[in-house]
Amino acid sequence: MDKIEIIGGTPLHGEVMISGAKNAALPLIASSILVDGKTRITNVPGLMDIKSICLLLEDMGAGVVRDHTDLIVDGSTLNKIEAPYDLVRKMRASILVLGPLLARFGHARVSMPGGCAIGARPVDMHLKGLEALGADISIEHGYIEAKAPSLKGAEIYFDMPTVTGTENLMMAAVLAKGTTVLRNAAREPEIACLADSLIRMGAKIEGAGTAVMTIEGTDTLVPATIDVIPDRIETGTFMVAAAATGGDVTIQNCIPDHIGGIINKLRATGAQVDCSDKSARVRRTDIIKSVDIKTLPYPGFPTDMQAQFMALMTIADKSSNIHETIFENRFIHANELLRMGADITITSGSHARVNGIESLQGAQVMASDLRASASLVIAGLIAKGSTLISRVYHMDRGYESIETKFSKLGAKIRRIK
Ligand code: EPU
């Protein structure tokens, strides 16, 4: 298994290009199931999670071809409505095929995604929503069995905003008969990206990116070319790394408008952040000021940036309170940061207190999930000496060429095969 070695202490300088967003690409690829033809998806990042969903679609009979950063998915040959356990267990987001399979074929059989390192992550709201659209759903032998000869539009109220739940319901409702209203829908930029793509395929959707979305069902969708937005979490990760190392980094091909919550907190730490339409420059010359964060659904501070921000707070001037409200077990990285000398107390399952110290020390650490691995990279970049991160396959699920990108910014980082 690959490891990443980092010799810390070098401020990052230069420019970095952001890749397409994993969490936007996954639903876009799933949406190609809805079309009896070829969907071209552009700006698709080269990631393990993308390979996983492509394998799943190929297993279902779809043709999948990679053309540089484009992906062409031929849904016309799709002939299997099952997402098997062995493919779903590798990536929970495989649940995204449930809505489109049901909408196009009237039947879907998808392995129940289990819990994962960061929490239980149930899919009850996906299932309740599909039932409201008229699906008959049962759980049999670890599989979600969903049937609906034809889906009918309905009013659906989510108990809390769910990103993939909203996406699944959108993909089901576009081919349902009549009008669906999704209330308390997730408002993440990835939702608006999916809506734009479905609209290009002929869907009728209003209000995407707000809490209330109205979808008028149509009989069929047509092949289209759809575009993955830049990855806001990769953007935030490089911004935090630039600030943490006391560097000066310009992040290209990003959408600063999508990361207001992160920029706001970074500025509060004393970092200088200058934004234009598609780039952001982050500089820090002064001490890092402690800042409290509370993770919230978009447009709040994203849970997917909590671990990276915690790494930054380990060397801040005072104490910082970190409140995780989205997932119940998302502090596993804290124990690894402790091994690097950080002063962190987990005061409850959802609260951590970080007392800033002068510097971290390099150590051998282990990545437990995707964003935890990014926080360990940031910690390694600021630590004195060498940090060796194992289980970097977590990182490869969601960060494209991360060590190459950091190397170009001057970091002493290498992958050990
Ligand atoms: N929830 C339920 N029932 C449901 C669905 C969700 O109780 O039916 C709860 C979850 O347990 C959680 C909250 O609702 O407490 C929000 O979860 P959500 O459904 O929004 O998460 P998700 O759709 O499974 C996506 C991202 C995650 C990201 C979260 C939150 C994708 C493929 N995944 O997950 O990304 O953390 O939204 O923003 O879009 C990552 O990229 O590292 C990652 C984990």
Side-chain angles (χ1 to χ4, degrees):
M1 271 191 287
D2 292 6
K3 294 184 177 170
I4 295 276
E5 186 190 41
I6 303 169
I7 312 291
T10 312
L12 301 178
H13 282 97
E15 283 192 4
V16 60
M17 283 292 281
I18 296 304
S19 302
K22 165 181 85 78
N23 290 347
L26 291 170
L28 259 48
I29 296 169
S31 75
S32 64
I33 294 173
L34 292 163
V35 180
D36 184 4
K38 287 185 181 163
T39 303
R40 180 180 278 267
I41 307 156
T42 66
N43 197 29
V44 180
L47 301 170
M48 274 317 294
D49 273 11
I50 300 297
K51 282 193 185 142
S52 297
I53 197 154
C54 289
L55 276 178
L56 175 56
L57 290 189
E58 282 174 327
D59 187 69
M60 296 192 302
V64 181
V65 176
R66 236 222 197 248
D67 176 10
H68 299 93
T69 56
D70 288 7
L71 203 67
I72 301 125
V73 185
D74 186 354
S76 65
T77 51
L78 225 143
N79 55 10
K80 188 177 152 197
I81 50 84
E82 179 172 311
Y85 173 73
D86 274 345
L87 293 174
V88 176
R89 79 183 163 85
K90 289 197 181 125
M91 188 188 61
R92 307 187 78 265
S94 306
I95 189 73
L96 284 166
V97 302
L98 179 61
L101 278 177
L102 189 61
R104 178 156 162 218
F105 298 103
H107 188 185
R109 195 165 182 268
V110 177
S111 175
M112 276 287 279
C116 79
I118 62 176
R121 305 184 73 180
V123 290
D124 55 312
M125 289 191 275
H126 301 229
L127 304 187
K128 277 184 203 143
L130 292 173
E131 277 176 338
L133 294 181
D136 181 13
I137 296 191
S138 56
I139 313 282
E140 284 166 26
H141 305 290
Y143 277 77
I144 302 162
E145 190 80 51
K147 288 184 187 156
S150 87
L151 293 171
K152 288 192 190 62
E155 288 251 346
I156 293 163
Y157 185 91
F158 293 105
D159 292 341
M160 67 177 101
T162 158
V163 176
T164 49
T166 302
E167 291 164 347
N168 242 334
L169 268 295
M170 288 166 73
M171 291 189 278
V174 287
L175 289 184
K177 291 212 179 331
T179 309
T180 297
V181 182
L182 302 179
R183 295 189 188 278
N184 201 21
R187 292 177 284 165
E188 272 69 2
E190 292 75 21
I191 303 281
C193 177
L194 174 62
D196 288 345
S197 303
L198 292 169
I199 289 168
R200 282 203 200 171
M201 295 170 172
K204 294 177 192 145
I205 303 175
E206 277 176 16
T210 74
V212 182
M213 213 182 312
T214 306
I215 302 171
E216 198 70 50
T218 56
D219 288 342
T220 51
L221 296 180
V222 293
T225 296
I226 56 184
D227 194 24
V228 178
I229 54 173
D231 195 312
R232 65 194 165 96
I233 304 301
E234 187 194 13
T235 305
T237 302
F238 277 100
M239 290 175 112
V240 169
T245 60
D248 181 350
V249 175
T250 300
I251 295 144
Q252 300 285 10
N253 187 39
C254 63
I255 304 182
D257 267 2
H258 289 173
I259 48 170
I262 303 166
I263 292 173
N264 175 41
K265 288 295 174 184
L266 266 179
R267 285 189 175 139
T269 68
Q272 191 176 333
V273 184
D274 301 301
C275 301
S276 69
D277 267 8
K278 289 195 169 163
S279 72
R281 181 177 176 194
V282 180
R283 283 173 278 178
R284 180 180 69 81
T285 48
D286 215 345
I287 49 156
I288 300 166
K289 292 189 200 129
S290 301
V291 169
D292 294 343
I293 60 162
K294 179 177 184 180
T295 63
L296 286 170
Y298 190 84
F301 189 93
T303 173
D304 289 346
M305 281 300 301
Q306 179 258 108
Q308 300 89 315
F309 214 84
M310 183 185 276
L312 176 66
M313 288 298 101
T314 61
I315 53 162
D317 61 345
K318 295 192 184 107
S319 298
S320 145
N321 294 301
I322 299 194
H323 186 181
E324 170 61 56
T325 75
I326 308 293
F327 293 114
E328 62 274 24
N329 192 28
R330 213 171 193 184
F331 285 140
I332 309 176
H333 46 278
N335 288 323
E336 300 303 297
L337 294 172
L338 287 176
R339 304 195 69 254
M340 300 177 74
D343 181 357
I344 303 170
T345 311
I346 309 290
T347 45
S348 76
S350 59
H351 285 89
R353 188 171 175 81
V354 185
N355 295 316
I357 56 170
E358 208 178 316
S359 67
L360 297 177
Q361 305 143 24
Q364 292 191 18
V365 288
M366 195 189 286
S368 54
D369 66 77
L370 170 56
R371 307 305 170 186
S373 63
S375 89
L376 297 179
V377 169
I378 293 169
L381 291 171
I382 54 183
K384 289 200 169 120
S386 159
T387 294
L388 191 63
I389 307 172
S390 56
R391 301 203 175 168
V392 294
Y393 55 83
H394 287 295
M395 198 166 66
D396 296 335
R397 288 189 39 217
Y399 286 94
E400 186 175 51
S401 318
I402 193 167
E403 69 273 20
T404 313
K405 290 186 182 184
F406 274 122
S407 281
K408 283 192 184 149
L409 295 174
K412 296 190 180 109
I413 180 168
R414 70 179 179 123
R415 182 177 288 255
I416 301 170
K417 292 272 176 192

